[in-house]
Amino acid sequence: MPKRENPTIKDVAKLAGVSIATVSRVLNKLGVVNPETEQKVQGAVAKLNYQPNAVARSLKLNRTRSIGVLLPEVSNTFFTEIVEQLEHLLSPKGYALLVCSSENSVDEEKRKLSFLLERNVDGLVVIAVSDEGSHFAEVDVPMVMLDRKIEGLGRDVIISDNRASAYEVTCALIDEGRSRIGFLGGDPHVHTSVERYRGFVDAIEERALVLDERFVLHEGMTMKSGYTLMEKALSFEDCPDAFFVVNDMVHIGATTFLMANAAREVRRRMAFASFDYLHYAPLLQFCHYAVAQPLEKMANRAVQLLTRRMEGDLKDFPSTTVFQPSIVAMKDREGSASNGTLPPRFNKEFS
Amino acid sequence: MPKRENPTIKDVAKLAGVSIATVSRVLNKLGVVNPETEQKVQGAVAKLNYQPNAVARSLKLNRTRSIGVLLPEVSNTFFTEIVEQLEHLLSPKGYALLVCSSENSVDEEKRKLSFLLERNVDGLVVIAVSDEGSHFAEVDVPMVMLDRKIEGLGRDVIISDNRASAYEVTCALIDEGRSRIGFLGGDPHVHTSVERYRGFVDAIEERALVLDERFVLHEGMTMKSGYTLMEKALSFEDCPDAFFVVNDMVHIGATTFLMANAAREVRRRMAFASFDYLHYAPLLQFCHYAVAQPLEKMANRAVQLLTRRMEGDLKDFPSTTVFQPSIVAMKDREGSASNGTLPPRFNKEFS
DNA sequence: ATGAATAATGTAAACGTTTACAACTTTGTG
DNA sequence: CACAAAGTTGTAAACGTTTACATTATTCAT
């Protein structure tokens, strides 16, 4: 389809026999117009199927009504649940979401950041790639950092209490009677990974358990990594029968390895506690405790802060909001899985 | 942060002691400029940290370099894998993605469509909510329909061969020796669901098996639906030990039910074949055969068609591209899961 | 030296809006 | 009836670019 010329406000004005100023006033309901004139204008608008040109308006008003969303990865359910919420909250307000992936690279993050700024986004929601975030310092539009905190950046931050929740689920494993617990972690430059490790250690120390270095394993936050780390752990005779797993992806990888390679006896006894409780959580058969982050609330808060800053009626210092996740007990699921243990959003429509 | 005034081309011109036309020429490498002048301009650009205003440029050029992406759901891995690809391909070309969710509602789809058109997107990638798509008829920008076809819309269409693949995996189940196979389906208004059902029936008929209506179950394409359909099927004494499952979501739901509620003997024998082979596929323990759609190729083709139409050098009639998915055999995974059976993108970084 | 051709730069209009201000019309008041 | 106030509409500038065209400066052949 060739790009047909759209009617402009001039066309409407001509057809209605008024000036463009009047048309604009009618459309924006600003100032007063004679009801009769309004009728004429509306008629012309309808006849021409006129839609105001958002670009021109943006230029004039210096406001694009678009929000940049910068994520490490697009195809990660944890992130996209957040994007979905953001979209749900912002689109009724007339905002469009410009979604950019930093592809887990700081360089790409920089590029995408300036790409978004060039496009004059009114605000930014950022899930940072790592703790290196100096490029965010000079951003001069309202911006909210979600899920991952970067130190020393004077910005609104919205996170979960990673440390406390990691502590809690580790304790839950201990309370189950597990005394040797391994750790399958992620990138030491990612805020969430670090905090969760701290929480894990908190629990181990508080309960005076030993922390066997052979089973404290760090790599990336990928499935691949979970797979190989689990393989490595299992290569030891005395592999623990419980692990704290830093997130979903590592969890899937580890579970995949176990399903395919571990002896029945090992599988029977294995217990995981981990972060994230997304739609495929019921499939994670070794998961006894999951940390469910309040994604809706977090997105809500992000939108609230962002819109208030954009409207300029929030001049306060940047705030840090820490949400308390809930812990989901999933053990003994055989024969007991009521809908109560199903993840949120279980009945959504899909492809 | 208050929105500080950005420097404009005028500021650059003044600082460099030239006219704005010259600055523009330098920036766009159009026409010829004296190397000396260019130096001055570049210097001024650097000193002011000038970035051209994309909105103004869009207005002048009547081209926004943004692509609208309209999906039924944002938080569905199948869709977001596609979005990720699109982003990866389009962002190097300078395009921004405006991601909109139609939230599985035709009305919302209409709203979001005109929202995107108002913003003068240069092109559209659409995964339609259902077969009712009259509102797409009058779209006057290049547009590609992905994954789901709508009849009678003169548009470029990119789909998988749903019918053939469904036929194939159903045959694979039959070849395994399964003679009674159930069907867990989705919405009859969704193209993919319908086509897959046809393929399933093709196989059943060709092999002269019987199609027991009690086990041909349709509902939504949700996990919830998979859960309840499986429950219903299992309530019969003579429930089949094999099912074709229309997609991932239904598959997860059904698996969840079985894991929690089915007798060991039932679980041991159960076999699924289904569409989609996404990152959590290894967790679907009853899955014997999965249809892996070539998402990268599909996204590639979409971008190719779209960009060529946008650049105007593709005036042909709309084309329909049908890709052949590959079939992944996943049975007997115990003890044999090499990385060969792991889904694509297994080693991606995540939260 | 002259004029034409070429190179380099500037001027100004245009893209489609919004809005301050001016201008005109109507109404109301004394 | 004059004049002010209120109501309604129009004019024109501005937002930050791009680009056709005009202008000026330079080079070169005659």
Side-chain angles (χ1 to χ4, degrees), chain A residues 183-239:
Chain A
F183 180 88
L184 304 182
D187 188 324
H189 285 286
V190 173
H191 166 256
T192 45
S193 184
V194 174
E195 285 294 300
R196 291 169 196 177
Y197 179 64
R198 290 205 178 116
F200 167 76
V201 171
D202 289 347
I204 298 294
E205 289 183 346
E206 191 197 72
R207 306 299 182 95
L209 300 184
V210 295
L211 200 136
D212 190 333
E213 292 295 338
R214 290 172 305 159
F215 304 113
V216 175
L217 300 166
H218 283 271
E219 212 182 279
M221 286 165 110
T222 66
M223 290 183 281
K224 177 90 174 181
S225 162
Y227 190 94
T228 54
L229 291 185
M230 197 66 231
E231 185 168 27
K232 187 184 286 183
L234 259 192
S235 72
F236 291 101
E237 254 332 59
D238 56 341
C239 178

Side-chain angles (χ1 to χ4, degrees), chain B residues 253-278:
Chain B
T255 301
T256 300
F257 181 82
L258 289 176
M259 282 171 76
N261 303 286
R264 165 175 300 274
E265 185 54 24
V266 170
R267 284 185 281 138
R268 209 181 50 76
R269 287 196 45 76
M270 186 60 70
F272 286 163
S274 87
F275 263 68
D276 301 339
Y277 183 64
L278 305 175

Side-chain angles (χ1 to χ4, degrees), chain A residues 135-350:
Chain A
H135 43 297
F136 292 117
E138 61 202 29
V139 169
D140 60 353
V141 298
M143 170 171 133
V144 166
M145 316 256 358
L146 210 53
D147 181 51
R148 299 174 177 187
K149 178 173 192 162
I150 294 182
E151 293 299 332
L153 223 57
R155 297 291 178 175
D156 289 312
V157 171
I158 298 165
I159 50 177
S160 293
D161 195 339
N162 289 290
R163 186 167 182 170
S165 299
Y167 166 83
E168 268 193 67
V169 289
T170 309
C171 286
L173 282 180
I174 298 171
D175 290 340
E176 252 186 23
R178 318 275 173 168
S179 57
R180 297 173 54 246
I181 304 180
F183 180 88
L184 304 182
D187 188 324
H189 285 286
V190 173
H191 166 256
T192 45
S193 184
V194 174
E195 285 294 300
R196 291 169 196 177
Y197 179 64
R198 290 205 178 116
F200 167 76
V201 171
D202 289 347
I204 298 294
E205 289 183 346
E206 191 197 72
R207 306 299 182 95
L209 300 184
V210 295
L211 200 136
D212 190 333
E213 292 295 338
R214 290 172 305 159
F215 304 113
V216 175
L217 300 166
H218 283 271
E219 212 182 279
M221 286 165 110
T222 66
M223 290 183 281
K224 177 90 174 181
S225 162
Y227 190 94
T228 54
L229 291 185
M230 197 66 231
E231 185 168 27
K232 187 184 286 183
L234 259 192
S235 72
F236 291 101
E237 254 332 59
D238 56 341
C239 178
D241 60 357
F243 284 86
F244 173 88
V245 185
V246 75
N247 81 341
D248 247 14
M249 292 300 126
V250 178
H251 197 151
I252 292 178
T255 301
T256 300
F257 181 83
L258 289 176
M259 283 172 75
N261 303 287
R264 166 175 301 275
E265 185 53 24
V266 170
R267 283 185 281 139
R268 209 181 50 73
R269 288 197 43 78
M270 186 60 71
F272 287 162
S274 87
F275 264 68
D276 301 340
Y277 183 64
L278 305 175
H279 67 265
Y280 45 73
L283 305 179
L284 294 162
Q285 54 183 292
F286 308 111
C287 186
H288 284 212
Y289 302 99
V291 177
Q293 301 186 54
L295 298 183
E296 293 198 21
K297 285 185 195 163
M298 293 167 76
N300 241 300
R301 174 73 177 155
V303 168
Q304 184 202 343
L305 284 172
L306 207 55
T307 48
R308 282 170 58 192
R309 290 232 185 255
M310 289 188 305
E311 283 153 15
D313 55 65
L314 181 61
K315 305 282 192 191
D316 312 354
F317 285 117
S319 62
T320 294
T321 313
V322 181
F323 282 93
Q324 292 304 326
S326 51
I327 310 295
V328 183
M330 302 177 73
K331 62 177 171 175
D332 302 326
R333 280 173 300 170
E334 285 211 18
S336 77
S338 67
N339 276 14
T341 70
L342 297 179
R345 334 185 106 253
F346 198 72
N347 51 357
K348 287 169 59 187
E349 275 277 342
F350 282 109

Side-chain angles (χ1 to χ4, degrees), chain A residues 83-105:
Chain A
V83 174
E84 177 154 289
Q85 281 302 313
L86 293 175
E87 211 264 356
H88 187 73
L89 295 167
L90 285 169
S91 114
K93 295 180 196 278
Y95 286 98
L97 257 47
L98 296 190
V99 177
C100 277
S101 167
S102 43
E103 305 190 358
N104 282 301
S105 138

Side-chain angles (χ1 to χ4, degrees), chain B residues 101-217:
Chain B
S101 167
S102 42
E103 304 190 358
N104 282 301
S105 137
V106 176
D107 279 350
E108 190 65 16
E109 189 174 69
K110 287 179 189 167
R111 264 192 297 277
K112 292 291 170 63
L113 177 64
S114 61
F115 178 77
L116 287 171
L117 293 176
E118 217 167 299
R119 289 190 168 243
N120 286 52
V121 292
D122 292 344
L124 278 171
V125 178
V126 174
I127 303 181
V129 163
S130 80
D131 52 8
E132 155 50 11
S134 54
H135 43 295
F136 292 117
E138 62 203 28
V139 169
D140 60 354
V141 297
M143 171 171 131
V144 166
M145 316 257 356
L146 210 54
D147 182 50
R148 300 174 176 187
K149 179 174 193 161
I150 295 182
E151 294 298 333
L153 222 57
R155 296 293 178 174
D156 289 312
V157 171
I158 298 165
I159 50 177
S160 293
D161 195 339
N162 289 289
R163 186 167 183 172
S165 300
Y167 165 84
E168 267 192 68
V169 289
T170 308
C171 285
L173 282 180
I174 297 172
D175 290 340
E176 252 185 24
R178 318 275 173 168
S179 58
R180 296 173 53 246
I181 305 179
F183 180 88
L184 303 181
D187 189 323
H189 285 286
V190 173
H191 166 255
T192 46
S193 184
V194 174
E195 286 294 299
R196 291 169 196 177
Y197 179 64
R198 289 203 179 117
F200 168 76
V201 172
D202 288 347
I204 299 294
E205 289 182 346
E206 192 198 71
R207 306 296 183 96
L209 300 185
V210 294
L211 198 136
D212 190 332
E213 292 296 338
R214 290 172 305 158
F215 304 112
V216 174
L217 300 166

Side-chain angles (χ1 to χ4, degrees), chain A residues 76 98 222 260 335 348 350-351, chain B residues 75-76 98 222 247 260 335 348 350:
Chain A
N76 176 332
L98 296 190
T222 66
K348 287 169 59 187
F350 282 109
S351 157
Chain B
S75 70
N76 175 333
L98 296 190
T222 66
N247 80 341
K348 287 169 61 186
F350 282 108

